[in-house]
Amino acid sequence: MITLDGVMQAPGGPREDTSGGFKYGGWTAPYSDEIFGKILKEELKPADYLLGRKTFDIFESYWPQHADFWPGINDGAKYVLSQTKERSDWKNTIFLNSVADIEKLKNSDGGDIHVWGSGRLIQLLLKHDLVDELRLKIYPLILGEGKKLFENGAIPAAFTLTETHVTSKGVVIAGYKRAGEVVTGNVGA
């Protein structure tokens, strides 16, 4: 979930992440509709997850008690990149320490691994060319402040649009798959 200016901080609620004095938490709330609900229901099917430690802390304090909304979250493996945390009572939680651990996980057998939130982790994955697919929900607003998705260190990369939906409230939901290197040229040539 990102704004037109790339902000991804605290989409779910006013107290989700107030770091840096962020005051717009819950900015996605006015944009729900039936189309968005159907797509979100599909995305909430059981999967394995890769999370940064801060997002994990938010999830760990909320989702175990709210599995009725996201039934698969408690059963899926939760891989957490952290230098400071090593254990959790939330079932199926595995801690990773490095990019090398993520590379091993990516190259192992198994299904897709979903990343939710985790802005710094996504930036790290982009920097190390470990992103195969992006699923963006782009909201029609500019916040002007907050943590941004493409802040630092992404390598140049081309993507191909694989699906797109536009909700009645103007949210653009787009899927992109990695498509090699960036190609340049002259417009009109």
Side-chain angles (χ1 to χ4, degrees), residues 70-81:
W70 192 350
I73 190 64
N74 288 321
D75 295 327
K78 289 158 287 290
Y79 298 96
V80 183
L81 181 65

Side-chain angles (χ1 to χ4, degrees), residues 100-112:
D101 290 342
I102 295 170
E103 288 173 335
K104 283 184 216 167
L105 178 63
K106 183 180 187 295
N107 293 322
S108 66
D109 292 335
D112 291 342

Side-chain angles (χ1 to χ4, degrees), residues 19 49 83 99 145 148 152 158 170:
S19 62
Y49 309 94
Q83 302 297 313
V99 172
E145 64 180 65
K148 295 190 176 186
N152 305 324

Side-chain angles (χ1 to χ4, degrees), residues 18-118:
T18 58
S19 62
F22 189 69
K23 59 185 178 255
Y24 297 109
W27 49 268
T28 62
Y31 295 95
S32 292
D33 71 357
E34 188 176 328
I35 294 169
F36 188 87
K38 284 181 182 177
I39 292 167
L40 186 60
K41 187 176 181 179
E42 280 296 309
E43 291 180 350
L44 296 181
K45 287 185 176 177
D48 291 338
Y49 309 94
L50 176 60
L51 304 168
R53 199 247 333 134
K54 290 179 184 177
T55 299
F56 176 77
D57 286 345
I58 294 167
F59 277 32
E60 179 185 37
S61 69
Y62 183 83
W63 285 114
Q65 296 80 32
H66 297 89
D68 53 321
F69 182 80
W70 192 350
I73 190 64
N74 288 321
D75 295 327
K78 289 158 287 290
Y79 298 96
V80 183
L81 181 65
S82 177
Q83 302 297 313
T84 59
K85 197 167 190 167
E86 296 176 352
R87 65 174 307 280
S88 169
D89 292 331
W90 195 10
K91 70 179 181 177
N92 302 323
T93 299
I94 300 127
F95 288 91
L96 306 175
N97 296 310
S98 66
V99 172
D101 290 342
I102 295 170
E103 288 173 335
K104 283 184 216 167
L105 178 63
K106 183 180 187 295
N107 293 322
S108 66
D109 292 335
D112 291 342
I113 299 169
H114 299 198
V115 178
W116 285 79
S118 305

Side-chain angles (χ1 to χ4, degrees), residues 183-189:
V183 177
T184 65
N186 293 313
V187 175

